Amino acid sequence: MTSTNAFAYRRVHRLTPLLRAWAFVAALLTIVVFNFTTALVEGVEDFQGDETWSWTDIAQIGGGIAVAVLVAFALSQLWWSRIGFRLGEDDVELRSGLISTKVRAARYERIQAVDVVEPFAPRLFHLAAVRVEAAGGSDSAIEIGYVPRAEADELRRELLRRVAAQGPDAEMSAEEASAALEGGSPDPHGQPALIPPIPLGRSLTGAALRLSTIVTVVLSLLPVLTEVTFAVVVPALVGFIPQIWRQIDQSWRYTSTLDGDVLNLSYGLANRRSQAVPRDRIHAIGLSQPMLWRPFGWWTVTVNVAGYGRESNKQSGTSRLLPVGSYEQAVGLITAISPLTSHAVTAPAWDVRSPKRARIPSPIDASSQALSLHSTPDQQIWATTSHGLLSRRFEFIDISHIQEMTYRQGPVQRMMNLAHVRFDLVPGPVKMTARDLDTADAWAVVAELSARELPPLAEP
């Protein structure tokens, strides 16, 4: 166990406490402006019409504001003095806390990814955070920040070197770590980008043509066009607006490059991020085309990455490896990050399809529901599922990555002699289900996949 000697810790930037709190302050000011706009305007008008005000009064108000700012900065420095990090022999540690001290540590062999994150306010001061994703759940990450951008890049390199030095039990191989050293660069080592920078117009149009965006616009217009009050639609807007923003932010100036076995991503509007995704941690791949994207021929590719958790975990890196792109880009990306051939992606040989009677429980997309099990050139068995007619969806997975299987049969399916076979995967946006199969076919799929060879358990 490493020592917790305080003198061994390295400092973050002095502005870190203030930059951590800026979002709260901005939200507080927004509430004040929206709720007290009338009072503020009346106060300004009274001030302009009141001849009793003097420059002395104005100086006193300004001095009071300056004192408040100085007090806030002094208090932030007390907080700053208790924030520190260090790279030990076996783990990376982060210490924080003024009244009660909290020390968080992540062992190098448990580290899943190391990303450089540049939120909007710190980026104005050329500062960044280093986010260390560790195995153990959505709350197991350590974020070191803020430090100068050059120091963040060097810290990331050093962490990756130490992860690679842990031997055969390391989560990253030495090849992965060395390939990830330049992660986030649009063109590391002179290699062409796998996904070149996505045009801004395509990013904005793709976000605008999402169902969540259209629902948000319709809800926003309800108070204007009907007698529905704005307070009624606020809860729905609060749920949809962050989704729209995340879609724009994660596709803004997005580019990716495959360097060895690591996919390096760079993206972000307000929060710029350099992210590395090792190929061997990608468990499931999703290829989908929203209905309103079909006239443009755009597709999106999402993945489940071991250790990144659910998509609702906003602090983790993106699971969308192609936010919006052409079909050729999508197929090229899938074949680059998996052993699948382009033919296996574009024209899979379906082994099982939903029978015609499946049109009763699934009247829209019964004809597109299918399952394929096929061998790749390296003798791996991959499963492919398909569903959706208006919005088309395909999912791919190495069957050894299927955690469990669930045979499910609803009342209507029972009458029609149909059943679903759901594949339980690591958390992520990709969900896989072989839908509305004949019960005999469903049990045959369960029997065949139950005999799959599972990877050996990692040693603790």
Side-chain angles (χ1 to χ4, degrees):
M1 181 175 178
T2 56
S3 170
T4 57
N5 181 0
F7 294 103
Y9 285 89
R10 294 161 57 180
R11 298 287 194 188
V12 296
H13 196 276
R14 286 182 177 273
L15 292 179
T16 293
L18 295 177
L19 294 174
R20 294 288 188 192
W22 85 272
F24 171 76
V25 175
L28 185 62
L29 290 176
T30 302
I31 294 174
V32 170
V33 170
F34 273 99
N35 290 276
F36 302 100
T37 301
T38 303
L40 291 174
V41 172
E42 292 177 352
V44 172
E45 292 176 349
D46 292 341
F47 170 75
Q48 292 175 343
D50 192 349
E51 297 180 356
T52 62
W53 283 86
S54 65
W55 288 107
T56 303
D57 297 324
I58 297 175
Q60 289 176 349
I61 294 175
I65 295 176
V67 170
V69 171
L70 290 175
V71 170
F73 182 76
L75 293 176
S76 73
Q77 295 309 286
L78 292 177
W79 183 11
W80 167 79
S81 67
R82 298 297 300 167
I83 303 175
F85 68 94
R86 70 173 178 182
L87 307 185
E89 294 182 3
D90 302 314
D91 55 20
V92 54
E93 292 183 8
L94 177 67
R95 183 197 63 186
S96 62
L98 180 60
I99 299 176
S100 59
T101 301
K102 180 171 68 173
V103 178
R104 302 188 63 184
R107 295 183 64 85
Y108 296 130
E109 67 266 20
R110 302 289 292 170
I111 291 177
Q112 303 281 354
V114 184
D115 300 336
V116 174
V117 186
E118 298 176 83
F120 175 72
R123 185 145 48 108
L124 298 177
F125 298 91
H126 303 286
L127 301 177
V130 178
R131 183 174 175 85
V132 180
E133 300 278 356
S138 60
D139 194 35
S140 59
I142 294 177
E143 186 167 286
I144 301 172
Y146 296 102
V147 296
R149 177 55 201 263
E151 182 179 348
D153 290 334
E154 179 56 36
L155 178 59
R156 179 173 181 266
R157 293 188 184 95
E158 180 61 27
L159 280 168
L160 291 173
R161 291 191 191 101
R162 292 177 182 245
V163 169
Q166 293 301 304
D169 294 331
E171 293 289 344
M172 278 188 182
S173 68
E175 292 77 11
E176 289 174 341
S178 61
L181 292 182
E182 298 298 329
S185 172
D187 185 19
H189 302 165
Q191 297 182 3
L194 183 61
I195 302 297
I198 296 177
L200 301 184
R202 186 193 300 174
S203 296
L204 295 175
T205 304
L209 294 179
R210 288 264 184 187
L211 181 60
S212 57
T213 305
I214 295 175
V215 171
T216 302
V217 172
V218 171
L219 291 175
S220 301
L221 293 176
L222 282 180
V224 179
L225 303 177
T226 68
E227 295 182 358
V228 176
T229 62
F230 188 71
V232 174
V233 301
V234 165
L237 295 179
V238 170
F240 281 116
I241 290 177
Q243 296 181 32
I244 300 170
W245 169 251
R246 190 162 63 252
Q247 291 166 8
I248 296 174
D249 188 47
Q250 293 182 351
S251 64
W252 194 265
R253 293 175 56 197
Y254 179 98
T255 185
S256 66
T257 301
L258 185 63
D259 193 354
D261 287 329
V262 175
L263 188 66
N264 296 309
L265 316 178
S266 179
Y267 58 90
L269 174 56
N271 302 315
R272 195 72 187 160
R273 190 175 190 124
S274 300
Q275 179 182 343
V277 181
R279 288 198 306 173
D280 62 359
R281 302 228 194 96
I282 297 175
H283 277 210
I285 304 171
L287 172 64
S288 62
Q289 184 183 50
M291 178 179 62
L292 297 178
W293 287 12
R294 296 186 69 169
F296 301 92
W298 294 340
W299 293 75
T300 183
V301 176
T302 55
V303 293
N304 289 3
V305 181
Y308 261 34
R310 302 184 184 278
E311 189 74 1
S312 58
N313 180 13
K314 310 299 189 304
Q315 299 301 319
S316 294
T318 183
S319 299
R320 205 182 303 273
L321 299 190
L322 178 61
V324 51
S326 66
Y327 187 64
E328 292 73 19
Q329 286 179 321
V331 173
L333 175 62
I334 294 175
T335 56
I337 63 176
S338 73
L340 295 171
T341 63
S342 59
H343 186 268
V345 176
T346 59
W350 301 115
D351 298 306
V352 185
R353 286 184 174 274
S354 297
K356 291 184 178 181
R357 61 181 182 275
R359 293 175 181 173
I360 294 180
S362 300
I364 296 178
D365 64 343
S367 61
S368 62
Q369 296 178 161
L371 168 69
S372 171
L373 298 174
H374 54 276
S375 297
T376 61
D378 56 358
Q379 302 305 310
Q380 296 178 2
I381 305 297
W382 278 66
T384 302
T385 56
S386 168
H387 62 97
L389 182 63
L390 301 179
S391 296
R392 293 184 285 183
R393 301 178 185 276
F394 301 87
E395 297 86 22
F396 312 87
I397 190 171
D398 180 343
I399 63 172
S400 65
H401 288 153
I402 298 175
Q403 309 292 303
E404 298 290 344
M405 286 173 293
T406 302
Y407 176 96
R408 187 166 64 86
Q409 188 178 55
V412 177
Q413 290 175 311
R414 188 177 298 112
M415 289 188 295
M416 305 305 299
N417 197 29
L418 301 171
H420 289 338
V421 179
R422 188 187 71 200
F423 303 155
D424 298 320
L425 316 176
V426 298
V430 180
K431 314 296 181 185
M432 291 190 70
T433 300
R435 302 166 182 262
D436 292 322
L437 304 182
D438 183 270
T439 53
D441 291 334
W443 281 119
V445 170
V446 171
E448 182 172 353
L449 294 183
S450 296
R452 69 193 185 279
E453 183 177 351
L454 299 177
L457 294 175
E459 295 182 6

